[in-house]
């Protein structure tokens, strides 16, 4: 009818203008206040109700252009929202959104960039690299273009695990269960000491708050230690020589043949700037002091923060005597603002949200003074406001003190007596059932779950079905602390409380029975794991064993002392658990102890104990057992179940590969397949095909056939969640075989997946294979140099001698290709000692002729000979000259 309409708005009051304004603000604020950016963009994006101008955009070109512009703005807003999420450290929370964005816009580089960063920060390095390869393939196939330089650099940084990609340096600091209160002066002084000195020891009585102070200081100094802060809790250690072992385990260092762990630690830390926190040193003070000294000798960038009740007495140690929290001064007006009063009020409110401190300030002040400002004592008293008023707490403290102090022994300092009296007072307020459980639970050295608590504490006069309620009461009374994960709640006694309860348990008639129940419970978990060997269900039980690691050691020690015939029943489960985890030292120690304790054990159990000990034998210097153990285990396992027979053959095949006995490698691989065929097994075939692949590869045989065998092994082990086996027995060799048959795309895929899995020695191998076998042959010399440099340094740090020498060989080839003749000659000399057989193949020495010709025979020989006796750490300094 010819009518037209016009919409008039006041100013720029439209969704489009609101969106544009939000994007402009977001671009300037994304690194400043990312949470506010997320909230603002969420609100603006919620205005979208579909494609702009739906129904008319396609008919009017000008409208279509505006609609497309608005859609691009929406996409920009979504990307900015993801950038803000990454800046805020919320990559896990937003990962699904980032994946959806990248999938919806598969040709958009920025969306893929965001996804790669999110995956990398979620410890999914291989998947991040795979996303790059997918985008690159799409760009090349559809547009004939390579990804932008920025995205190529991101791929390289992810591959080399650039620390700058992380929001914060790596660390394993415990997550506090409650907020930190006060201690401003102490935090400041400890931080200053740690900045000025390399060893700072926090010294003080139990319950004064040393551990919490150390944690808070370490968190505040994360930015000062780009290579990480590592928390080492020594409370569960019974043997002093385990301190270095525990630290090596935390850093992911595995024992290597002929190299002490202390040397591996020195190599790893020599070029790093890191802080190591040694917590609870008092019961292993001598070896903790030795470990601290070794750490300081490792390199100038290493610092140590220790907590203990007595100084370590190490050269260079600066002692900080941790004082109690400040308390109200006598005669001064009560304000309720001292650190101690604030702590009481905060914890009392947590115990009873209706608690009103203002009306009871005087009594709270008296409690703090009476308890000498000791945080643990104050927290325990505060937990009692559920059932007692502050005035009643004061009365009980005053009335009970003389009696409660009478049992004290050893350190009779007033503050030590105060904490003991507070524990005793709190203990006396428990019911008989709560006291019984509290004493019995002291047998646990680490955190424990409710099932373990019921098994250990639930016997006369306490029924197992009472334990859960009793534990709830102990948590409410602050006699137990909770350790929460996404899967479950676990419980733990603080060390000071555990020492009190442990003494009472020793004096009771329950001690032996509690020890037996504790050992039997953990033995049953390990036996269950043994029944699930080589199945996909093993991974779940292995995760449970991870959480009880320290108590497992205590249980094994008890069994070996009291019931060794039962101890050896743990061998099947321990063999696979420690093998998967790469814990060679524990496997060797306890495997040997089981063999020695029960020399007449049944053949199957003896075979499993032999396999346990043999796994760690070579890495512990017992080469005779490493060579003979698997063969003896195969003989003993003739009539055993399929799992023991298969595992024995697997061990024999792999030690034979190291020794170069390729006939045995292949025969054991075929024997494993025969077992699988006879038993109707599918997934365990992976261990047979891995041996057949290794045999074919090391014979320089059919690399296509080797690749098919190894692919089968990789997928089988992946399904079994045996990622260590998949990496060691599959991915690295598969990458090499693929490169040698010219399939460089597959070679890179295998290698990058191996790099993303744990295990320093084999990660180093994957880097070296990627650089030497794949990148350099394709002419990607610059990238090959960076990868080889990274891998060779890692191999040195991990004590992986053969891979370090292989890295030197490929660095020699790289230097020769760049006509850096002197460096090439040096690396050709440095690679020769202990160079493995695969490095001696003529194909890798073709460029040596060019180096000899360029330098002349005499000069080449002098450089090569001198390099052959140069210490490896000096040879590492040549890397930059070869690759830069």
């Amino acid at each position: 009818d010819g009518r037209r309409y016009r919409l008039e708005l006041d100013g720029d009051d439209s969704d489009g203008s609101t969106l544009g304004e939000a994007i402009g603000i977001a671009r300037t604020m994304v690194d400043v206040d990312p949470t506010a950016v997320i909230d603002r963009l969420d609100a603006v994006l919620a205005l979208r109700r579909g494609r702009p101008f739906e129904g008319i955009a396609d008919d009017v070109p000008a409208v279509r252009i505006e609609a497309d512009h608005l859609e691009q703005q929406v996409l920009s807003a979504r990307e900015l929202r993801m950038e803000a999420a990454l800046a805020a450290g919320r990559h896990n929370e937003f990962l699904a959104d980032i994946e959806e964005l990248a999938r919806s816009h598969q040709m958009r580089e920025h969306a893929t960039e965001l996804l790669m960063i999110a995956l990398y920060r979620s410890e999914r390095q291989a998947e991040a690299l795979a996303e790059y390869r997918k985008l690159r393939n799409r760009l090349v196939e559809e547009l004939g273009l390579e990804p932008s330089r920025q995205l190529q650099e991101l791929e390289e940084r992810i591959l080399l695990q650039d620390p700058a990609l992380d929001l914060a340096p790596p660390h394993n600091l415990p997550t506090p269960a409650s907020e930190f209160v006060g201690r401003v002066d102490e935090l400041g002084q400890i931080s200053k000491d740690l900045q000025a000195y390399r060893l700072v020891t926090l010294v003080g009585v139990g319950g004064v708050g040393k551990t919490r102070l150390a944690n808070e200081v370490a968190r505040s100094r994360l930015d000062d230690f780009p290579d990480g802060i590592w928390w080492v809790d020594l409370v569960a250690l019974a043997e002093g020589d385990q301190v270095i072992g525990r630290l090596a385990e935390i850093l992911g260092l595995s024992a290597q043949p002929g190299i002490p762990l202390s040397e591996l630690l020195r190599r790893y830390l020599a070029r790093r700037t890191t802080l190591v926190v040694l917590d609870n040193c008092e019961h292993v003070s001598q070896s903790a002091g030795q470990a601290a000294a070794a750490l300081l000798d490792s390199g100038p960038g290493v610092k140590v923060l220790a907590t203990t009740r007595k100084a370590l007495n190490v050269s260079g140690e600066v002692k900080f005597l941790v004082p109690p929290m400040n308390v109200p001064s006598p005669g001064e007006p009560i304000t309720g603002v001292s650190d101690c009063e604030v702590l009481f009020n905060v914890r009392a409110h947590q115990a009873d949200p209706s608690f009103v401190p203002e009306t009871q300030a005087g009594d709270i002040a008296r409690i703090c003074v009476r308890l000498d400002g000791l945080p643990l004592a104050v927290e325990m008293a505060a937990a009692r406001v559920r059932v007692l008023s502050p005035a009643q707490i004061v009365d009980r403290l005053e009335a009970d003190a003389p009696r409660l102090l009478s049992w004290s022994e050893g350190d009779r300092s007033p503050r030590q007596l105060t904490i003991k009296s507070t524990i005793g007072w709190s203990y006396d307020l428990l019911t008989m059932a709560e006291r019984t459980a509290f004493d019995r639970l002291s047998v646990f050295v680490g955190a424990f779950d409710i099932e373990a608590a019921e098994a250990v504490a639930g016997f006369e006069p306490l029924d197992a079905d009472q334990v859960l309620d009793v534990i709830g009461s102990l948590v409410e009374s602050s006699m137990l602390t909770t350790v929460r994960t996404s899967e479950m709640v676990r419980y733990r006694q603080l060390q000071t409380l555990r020492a009190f309860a442990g003494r009472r348990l020793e004096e009771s008639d329950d001690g032996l029975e509690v020890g037996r129940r504790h050992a039997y419970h953990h033995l049953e978990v390990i036996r269950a794991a043994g029944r699930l060997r080589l199945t996909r269900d093993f991974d779940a039980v292995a995760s449970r064993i991870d959480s009880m690691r320290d108590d497992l050691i205590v249980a094994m020690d008890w069994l070996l002392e009291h019931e060794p015939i039962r101890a050896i029943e743990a061998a099947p489960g321990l063999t696979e658990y420690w093998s998967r985890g790469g814990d060679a030292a524990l496997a060797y120690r306890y495997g040997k102890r089981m063999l020695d304790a029960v020399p007449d054990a049944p053949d199957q159990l003896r075979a499993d104990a032999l396999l346990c000990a043999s796994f760690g034998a070579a890495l512990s210097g017992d080469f005779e057992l490493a060579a003979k153990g698997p063969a003896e285990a195969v003989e003993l396992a003739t009539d055993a179940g399929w799992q023991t027979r298969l595992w024995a053959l697997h061990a024999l095949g792999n030690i034979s590969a190291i020794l170069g006995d390729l006939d045995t490698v292949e025969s054991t691989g075929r024997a494993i397949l025969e077992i699988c065929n006879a038993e109707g097994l599918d997934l365990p075939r992976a261990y047979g095909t891995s041996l057949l692949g290794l045999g074919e590869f090391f014979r320089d045989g059919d690399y296509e056939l080797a690749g098919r065998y190894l692919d089968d092994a990789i997928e089988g082990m992946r399904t079994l969640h045996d990622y260590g086996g998949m990496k060691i027995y599959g991915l690295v060799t598969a990458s090499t075989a693929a490169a040698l048959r010219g399939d460089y795309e597959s070679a890179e895929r295998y290698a990058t997946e191996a790099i993303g899995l744990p295990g320093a020695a084999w990660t180093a191998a994957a880097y070296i294979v990627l650089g030497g076998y794949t990148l350099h042959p394709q002419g990607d010399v610059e990238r090959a140099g960076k990868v080889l440099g990274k891998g060779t340094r890692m191999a040195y740090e991990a004590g992986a001698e053969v891979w370090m020498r292989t890295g030197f060989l490929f660095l020699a080839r790289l230097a020769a290709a760049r006509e850096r003749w002197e460096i090439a000659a040096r690396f050709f000399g440095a690679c020769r000692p202990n160079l493995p057989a695969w490095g001696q193949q003529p194909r890798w020495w073709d460029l040596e002729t060019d180096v000899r010709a360029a330098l002349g025979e005499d000069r080449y020989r002098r450089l090569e000979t001198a390099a052959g006796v140069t210490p490896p750490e000096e040879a590492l300094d040549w890397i930059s000259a070869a690759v830069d």
Side-chain angles (χ1 to χ4, degrees), residues 161-164 166 168-172 221-230 251 268-276 301-302 790 797:
Q161 300 172 348
D162 182 356
D166 297 315
H171 68 87
N172 67 331
R221 299 295 302 277
L222 267 170
D223 290 342
D224 297 334
F225 298 97
D227 294 310
I229 295 181
W230 305 107
L251 293 174
Y268 181 83
L269 295 172
R271 291 176 168 82
R272 285 176 164 81
T273 301
T274 189
L275 173 67
V276 176
V302 181
K790 171 92 172 182
E797 292 170 355

Side-chain angles (χ1 to χ4, degrees), residues 434-625:
E434 290 166 352
R435 293 181 196 176
T436 299
F438 180 72
D439 294 345
R440 292 174 178 177
L441 294 174
S442 67
V443 72
F444 291 100
V445 295
F448 52 90
D449 58 27
I450 187 61
E451 183 180 341
E454 290 169 343
V456 170
F459 66 96
E460 186 67 29
L462 187 65
D463 293 335
D465 57 8
Q466 293 179 270
V467 171
L468 178 59
D469 289 338
V470 169
I471 282 182
S473 298
L474 292 174
V475 169
E476 290 181 355
S477 303
S478 294
M479 303 298 275
L480 282 180
T481 59
T482 56
V483 181
R484 294 181 180 273
T485 66
S486 57
E487 291 81 22
M488 67 170 63
V489 176
R490 299 170 65 80
Y491 310 93
R492 188 169 192 165
Q493 282 184 340
L494 294 178
Q495 179 63 6
T496 305
L497 301 179
R498 182 171 172 258
F500 175 92
R503 179 181 299 179
R504 294 188 58 85
L505 183 63
E506 289 175 4
E507 295 170 352
S508 74
D509 296 330
D510 289 347
L512 186 62
E513 177 63 12
V514 168
R516 185 187 70 80
R517 285 173 168 267
H518 177 273
Y520 276 30
H521 172 75
H522 290 89
L523 173 62
E524 186 50 45
V525 174
I526 292 296
R527 289 179 62 193
R531 293 189 290 270
L532 296 174
R533 283 180 296 168
L534 303 170
T535 72
R536 68 180 73 200
D537 296 324
F538 183 88
D539 191 54
V541 72
S543 298
R544 186 179 181 198
I545 299 170
D546 287 340
S547 67
M548 58 176 62
R549 177 195 180 281
D550 294 327
D551 281 285
L552 172 62
I553 300 302
V554 171
M556 286 301 299
D557 287 338
W558 191 96
L559 289 167
L560 285 165
E561 179 181 352
H562 295 90
E563 300 182 31
I565 191 63
R566 297 297 308 275
I568 203 169
E569 295 176 13
L574 290 177
T575 299
E576 181 156 350
Y577 175 68
W578 280 332
S579 296
R580 285 197 183 200
D583 203 333
L586 282 177
Y588 178 69
R589 180 190 309 160
Y590 282 93
K592 283 280 291 177
R593 287 182 65 185
M594 286 186 281
L595 291 170
D596 293 341
V598 195
D600 56 348
D603 285 353
Q604 176 170 342
L605 289 178
R606 184 166 180 82
D608 281 308
L610 265 170
L611 292 171
C612 190
S614 299
F615 161 66
L619 303 179
S620 302
D622 190 345
F623 299 106
E624 181 179 1
L625 178 58

Side-chain angles (χ1 to χ4, degrees), residues 92-112:
N92 286 319
E93 178 185 346
F94 281 77
L95 182 55
D97 289 348
I98 299 174
E99 286 180 317
E100 191 277 327
L101 179 67
R103 301 286 179 267
S104 302
H105 303 275
Q106 295 188 356
M107 302 294 283
R108 193 171 176 92
E109 288 197 1
H110 189 42
T112 297

Side-chain angles (χ1 to χ4, degrees), residues 265-331:
L265 202 61
R266 185 192 70 77
R267 292 184 179 188
Y268 181 83
L269 295 172
R271 291 176 168 82
R272 285 176 164 81
T273 301
T274 189
L275 173 67
V276 176
V277 185
L278 301 177
D279 188 35
N280 292 304
C281 297
E282 48 274 348
H283 63 300
V284 287
S285 57
Q286 183 176 355
S287 62
Q290 293 168 349
L295 287 167
L296 298 181
D297 288 342
S298 296
V302 181
K303 293 192 176 187
V304 178
L305 179 63
T307 74
T308 180
R309 296 183 189 180
K310 56 183 180 180
L312 299 180
N313 296 319
V314 175
S315 177
E317 178 181 29
V318 173
K319 295 178 281 292
F320 181 88
L321 184 61
V322 178
M325 301 185 85
N326 59 57
V327 298
S329 300

Side-chain angles (χ1 to χ4, degrees), residues 15-16 18-20 22-23 27 41-42 44-52 66-82 100-101 105 108:
D15 291 350
T18 301
L19 175 61
I23 290 173
R27 286 194 174 118
L41 290 176
D42 279 346
V44 173
L45 288 170
L47 299 173
R48 186 173 187 269
R49 295 291 186 270
R51 177 172 166 77
E66 180 62 19
D68 290 342
H69 171 67
L70 288 172
E71 285 290 81
Q72 286 299 312
Q73 282 195 303
V74 168
L75 180 55
S76 296
R78 293 180 66 193
E79 288 179 335
L80 278 168
R81 179 174 176 268
M82 299 304 119
E100 191 277 327
L101 179 67
H105 303 275
R108 193 171 176 92

Side-chain angles (χ1 to χ4, degrees), residues 688-721:
T689 55
S690 74
L691 291 172
L692 294 178
L694 288 174
E696 193 70 38
F697 174 79
F698 283 118
R699 285 189 191 279
D700 278 343
D702 183 340
Y703 293 134
E704 288 281 355
L705 178 59
R708 289 197 295 273
Y709 280 138
L710 293 167
D711 277 343
D712 180 84
I714 290 166
E715 292 313 308
M717 292 179 192
R718 191 195 308 279
T719 306
L720 288 168
H721 305 292

Side-chain angles (χ1 to χ4, degrees), residues 649-666:
L649 289 164
H650 173 58
L652 178 59
N654 281 289
I655 194 67
S656 298
I658 294 171
L659 298 174
D661 181 0
L662 299 183
D663 289 339
T664 300
V665 173
E666 293 183 351

